Amino acid sequence: MRPAAFITGITGMAVVAGLLLAGEARLGGGTAGEETASAEERATAAADAAPKAGERATMSDDRAEMIARSVEPTAPPSPESGPVSGHGGAPKPADAPQQAETPAGETPSPTAKEAVELARPMVDNAGILSFGDRRLQIAGIVPTPTDRICGPTGRQWPCGMMAKTALRLLLRNRSVSCDLETVEWKETATTACRLGTEDLGLWLAENGWAEAAVGSPLMAAAEKARQAGKGLYGDDPRRN
């Protein structure tokens, strides 16, 4: 018998046997047939996927990574980490921008004062300058009223008017520099003023034309002027 005819006969017998088994499975129940078919399909897929003898099993890096991710257990998000990124959740608290806020009830810090040049001040008295309807009181001293009288009985003299005149002669309509938050202050503001580098409050205290305010850093200068008999603490300068 020829080999081809022999192989054909064997194949035909196998087909007939398969048909008989399939018919028997259908007669025995549809479920058993389905399980048999599924088992055969899995066996066929495994056989197709398995490398043939003598061949080297290969797998791409991408497929290996895909398989590893599919079988890797997903860890539940911790309470600190917040919602999983990429699912529309809110950002983590640590990623939220930090904004400086003023606590409720707390007022912001006052505006820093700057040196403002003021032209041609008028002298109201030894301690107060006027610029139109606005006035500036020189810080650190007690302004000397123009009607103040100094000296013992019989030797009294208008020291308040003389103190005003002394400050007016010092300024001689020149501009002064005063520390202000704004040039549009209202009524009377108290601040330090300078003529060039000469502090006006210190000049009045050192020359005795104004008394130092309580707690002022100018108290030492005013006391030194009193002991030296200068200004308000001395005699009428017109008699010298």
Side-chain angles (χ1 to χ4, degrees):
M1 185 180 292
R2 295 180 181 179
F6 178 76
I7 293 173
T8 303
I10 294 299
T11 303
M13 294 175 64
V15 171
V16 172
L19 292 175
L20 292 174
L21 291 174
E24 183 180 357
R26 290 182 179 180
L27 293 176
T31 304
E34 291 178 359
E35 293 178 355
T36 304
S38 300
E40 290 178 356
E41 291 175 358
R42 289 195 296 269
T44 303
D48 294 340
K52 297 180 180 180
E55 294 184 358
R56 185 177 180 181
T58 59
M59 180 181 292
S60 65
D61 294 339
D62 294 339
R63 180 162 180 76
E65 183 177 355
M66 184 183 301
I67 294 174
R69 289 183 177 180
S70 64
V71 299
E72 182 180 2
T74 303
S78 61
E80 293 80 4
S81 60
V84 179
S85 176
H87 295 276
K92 299 179 182 179
D95 297 335
Q98 301 296 329
Q99 298 180 354
E101 298 181 355
T102 302
E106 181 177 335
T107 57
S109 57
T111 307
K113 293 184 178 181
E114 297 181 357
V116 178
E117 186 173 352
L118 302 173
R120 304 183 65 176
M122 298 295 293
V123 178
D124 285 4
N125 57 36
I128 295 180
L129 307 178
S130 62
F131 304 85
D133 58 350
R134 294 174 297 170
R135 286 170 172 75
L136 281 179
Q137 179 175 326
I138 299 172
I141 55 104
V142 177
T144 304
T146 56
D147 58 354
R148 180 172 176 174
I149 302 298
C150 298
T153 303
R155 301 187 61 182
Q156 295 179 337
W157 57 285
C159 58
M161 185 59 68
M162 293 294 298
K164 173 183 175 180
T165 302
L167 180 58
R168 184 171 56 83
L169 292 176
L170 173 69
L171 297 180
R172 288 180 295 179
N173 291 329
R174 291 179 291 180
S175 298
V176 296
S177 176
C178 299
D179 299 333
L180 295 168
E181 296 178 1
T182 174
V183 294
E184 300 299 331
W185 77 91
K186 296 180 180 180
E187 298 180 355
T188 301
T190 301
T191 187
C193 292
R194 294 165 297 277
L195 176 66
T197 59
E198 184 78 64
D199 184 89
L200 298 185
L202 180 60
W203 184 87
L204 289 171
E206 287 180 337
N207 289 275
W209 292 122
E211 297 177 352
V214 177
S216 168
L218 302 178
M219 292 183 67
E223 178 60 23
K224 187 176 180 179
R226 188 188 68 80
Q227 294 178 0
K230 293 183 177 180
L232 307 176
Y233 312 107
D235 296 330
D236 187 348
R238 296 173 298 178
R239 296 178 181 177
N240 297 335

